[in-house]
Amino acid sequence: MATVSSTSPSSAAACAAWWPPSLLSSGITNIRIFDRNPAGFEGPWVNYARMETLRSPKQLTGPAFGMASLTFRAWFTVQFGDAAWEALDKIPRTMWMDYLRWFRSVLAIPVENETSIDRIMPAGEHLRLDLSGAGARQPRVLARKVVMATGRDGTGHPNIPAFVRDLPKRFWAHSSDDIDFKALKGRRVAVVGVGASAVDNSAEALEAGAAEVRHLIRRKTMPTINKMMGIGSYGFTAAFPRLVDAWRWRFMHYSFVTQTPAPRGSTLRVSRHPNAYFHFGKVIERIAHDSRELEIVMTDGTRLKTDFVILGTGFTVEPLARTELDGYADKILLWRDRYQPPADLAHSEIGNFPYLSEDFAF
């Protein structure tokens, strides 16, 4: 079995860490894990994740697979004690990466770093993985099963709106890019969106000394309640694949249209700065530029001059965009192929998601 891990919006490092204990406890030992990043820098946590703490509660057991001694809590309390655990609100982001490094070490998880998967091709009863990178021990390997722990980016790409596509790259960045925040000191910044990644990047710019940061938000009001938290129980997630398609679509549609708000702590991290602004009901029509600055034109006729734009616009789901699956990505069953919702529940983005089997296979 091969697990393909990479820097992605969801925790590839955590996903890759979860698989080995579950497989090993089942007697499956012939596994290989590939990650394109250097050792200790897997996943987003110390690459482009910019929140101060994880967004999930500290009590979640994470990749420990039911083994108490492998939980973050066990790792934390051995070092800092029970009182410190009780006082802890949420897990600091970089500390979580330290825990994952320990987790990998103590379990001797076989990660082959600095190895990219260029292509995954059917090869008889196997799948052939074409490898490259400084850490690649061989150009090709065969696997009976391949698990892609690559997050949203693993079945698509960053969502880049048309209004920036003709702008020189020095004027803008996506929230998943490697942004030089120190270069934003004293400059005006516009952030498109108000989701978690948009807010986290806004905070980084403000703390780096940006002259101002203005959020441009299509919605009329700020999302404030994560309404999908109520279905986060194990009972619901375990039974979710057994629901009929109509109900599964309704849940996902509701999640998309209500939007998951940025965590309260992240929002306060921005709003405590007097030079942070939230502008609602602002849909960008186009962006003009000269050699010095940008002018953003909104559909309501308002204009904003700024120096740099950060896109908190998330990721698209588009299997055909993945070169790893080139040659057969068009054969992956999508939700739009399987289910046609009522007109009032139509949503093109949900329709682009792969329609997975009960074991999460394409």
Side-chain angles (χ1 to χ4, degrees), residues 8-11 44-45 48-60 89-94 96 152 175-176 194-204 226 229 260-267 269 312 314-315:
S8 63
S10 66
S11 174
W45 308 113
Y48 64 80
R50 291 166 184 134
M51 62 279 205
E52 292 179 312
T53 67
L54 301 195
R55 296 163 186 153
S56 51
K58 66 181 181 181
Q59 294 88 355
L60 298 184
D89 178 26
K90 288 187 172 62
I91 300 172
R93 170 177 54 84
T94 56
W96 177 251
R152 285 285 296 273
S175 60
S176 63
V194 75
S197 62
V199 171
D200 290 332
N201 278 265
S202 172
E204 287 284 325
N226 185 353
M229 283 295 289
T260 300
R264 180 174 182 271
S266 295
T267 306
R269 184 182 170 200
F315 293 78

Side-chain angles (χ1 to χ4, degrees), residues 223-240:
T224 56
I225 300 174
N226 185 353
K227 297 185 178 182
M228 296 302 284
M229 283 295 289
I231 65 169
S233 67
Y234 178 78
F236 185 90
T237 54
F240 189 75

Side-chain angles (χ1 to χ4, degrees), residues 34-38 112-118 130-140:
F34 303 103
D35 194 290
R36 69 186 179 208
N37 288 312
E112 299 175 39
N113 290 95
E114 298 182 66
T115 302
S116 294
I117 309 300
D118 299 325
D130 294 342
L131 312 179
S132 66
R137 301 191 308 209
Q138 58 203 104
R140 291 185 178 130

Side-chain angles (χ1 to χ4, degrees), residues 120-196:
I120 303 171
M121 288 294 295
E125 296 182 355
H126 296 81
L127 291 167
R128 189 195 77 209
L129 282 67
D130 294 342
L131 312 179
S132 66
R137 301 191 308 209
Q138 58 203 104
R140 291 185 178 130
V141 298
L142 294 177
R144 293 189 183 278
K145 291 281 188 181
V146 175
V147 178
M148 298 183 69
T150 50
R152 285 285 296 273
D153 188 32
T155 47
H157 52 81
N159 182 24
I160 307 300
F163 54 72
V164 301
R165 290 175 187 163
D166 294 329
L167 290 180
K169 194 63 174 69
R170 70 178 184 274
F171 285 121
W172 66 275
H174 188 269
S175 60
S176 63
D177 289 338
D178 183 12
I179 301 173
D180 182 4
F181 286 96
K182 291 181 180 178
L184 300 180
K185 183 177 182 179
R187 303 181 71 193
R188 300 165 296 176
V189 178
V191 176
V192 181
V194 75

Side-chain angles (χ1 to χ4, degrees), residues 5 16 32-35 37 42 104 108-113:
S5 174
R32 296 177 69 175
I33 300 174
F34 303 103
D35 194 290
N37 288 312
E42 302 86 358
R104 170 183 172 172
I109 296 174
V111 182
E112 299 175 39
N113 290 95

